[in-house]
Amino acid sequence: TSTNTSIHDNVLKNARSGVLVDFDSGGSASGVSVYNNTIADHGWHISMGADLATSTASGVQIYNNDISDWLNWQYPSATYHTDGIILFNNDNAAAVGTYSLYNNYFHGSLGAGSATGYIACGQKTSCTIFNNLMVDDGSASCAGYFWFYAWGGPHLVYNNTLVASPKSAYRIAVTTDGANAAGKTTVKNNIF
C-alpha cells in the first residue's frame, strides 16, 4: 500500500473483508484515509495489518463510515472472528502505528461465533477514538465494543455513544498481558 491512499464513497457488501489494507513486506499505510463508505456484512469491515517491523502506519484516518451486519460470518464456532475495524502489526519490534477513528456508525450484531469488537486496536497500535455511535441489536456477545490488546497504546477514547446489549460482557476491554495497553488507555466523556 502506498502512502496517502484514500478509500471513500463506496458501497461494499458480502466479502471476507470490506476494506483490506495489507502493508506487509515493509510497506506503509501512512496517511491512508477510509471515509464516507457504507460497509455491510463482512467478517472484517475494515482491516489494516502487517507482520513486519519495517511496515509502518502513521496518520491513518477512518471516519464517517456506516458499518453494519455480520450475518454471513456468524458461525457457531470460532471459524471467523468478526470485527468492525481491526488494526495491528504482529511484529514486536515494529513502530507503533497511529490511527484516528471518528464519526463512524456501527450497528447490528457481531455474531454468535467469535465476535471480537466493533473496534479492535491490536499489537503496535495507538488509537484515538471519538464521536462514534455503536448500537448493538442484542443478539450476540463480544470481547468488547472497543478492545485494546497486545503491546499497544497509548489509546484515547472519548465522546462516543454505546447502546449495548446485555450479552456483551465488556463495553471496553483492555488486555493486560506483556507491555501493552494497560495503564496507557484513557477513557472519558463517553455515554453508555
Side-chain angles (χ1 to χ4, degrees):
T1 300
S2 62
T3 59
N4 301 315
T5 297
S6 294
I7 301 166
H8 60 90
D9 299 298
N10 298 290
V11 175
L12 305 168
K13 293 187 176 183
N14 300 312
R16 177 64 182 104
S17 296
V19 174
L20 174 63
V21 178
D22 181 348
F23 54 103
D24 215 343
S25 302
S28 174
S30 296
V32 170
S33 297
V34 180
Y35 60 94
N36 294 344
N37 298 291
T38 300
I39 308 171
D41 210 8
H42 303 280
W44 295 344
H45 286 54
I46 299 172
S47 173
M48 292 191 191
D51 293 302
L52 289 177
T54 55
S55 300
T56 59
S58 63
V60 174
Q61 296 188 60
I62 301 172
Y63 61 96
N64 293 346
N65 297 290
D66 184 312
I67 298 171
S68 67
D69 300 322
W70 290 258
L71 294 175
N72 287 336
W73 311 97
Q74 295 186 13
Y75 285 80
S77 67
T79 303
Y80 300 103
H81 69 89
T82 51
D83 295 278
I85 298 171
I86 182 168
L87 311 167
F88 61 90
N89 188 333
N90 289 327
D91 192 300
N92 288 345
V96 173
T98 57
Y99 301 86
S100 294
L101 300 87
Y102 55 95
N103 296 343
N104 297 292
Y105 174 37
F106 300 83
H107 52 106
S109 172
L110 284 163
S114 180
T116 303
Y118 284 134
I119 296 175
C121 293
Q123 187 154 305
K124 306 308 277 193
T125 65
S126 176
C127 295
T128 300
I129 302 169
F130 59 97
N131 295 346
N132 296 285
L133 173 61
M134 300 179 169
V135 180
D136 184 2
D137 72 0
S139 64
S141 61
C142 60
Y145 290 162
F146 300 110
W147 185 25
F148 305 104
Y149 66 95
W151 294 280
H155 303 293
L156 177 58
V157 182
Y158 65 96
N159 295 350
N160 299 285
T161 301
L162 290 80
V163 181
S165 160
K167 292 184 178 182
S168 177
Y170 306 101
R171 306 306 183 248
I172 298 176
V174 181
T175 306
T176 57
D177 60 328
N180 70 4
K184 299 187 220 172
T185 302
T186 301
V187 178
K188 63 182 182 179
N189 298 331
N190 298 284
I191 298 173
F192 296 87

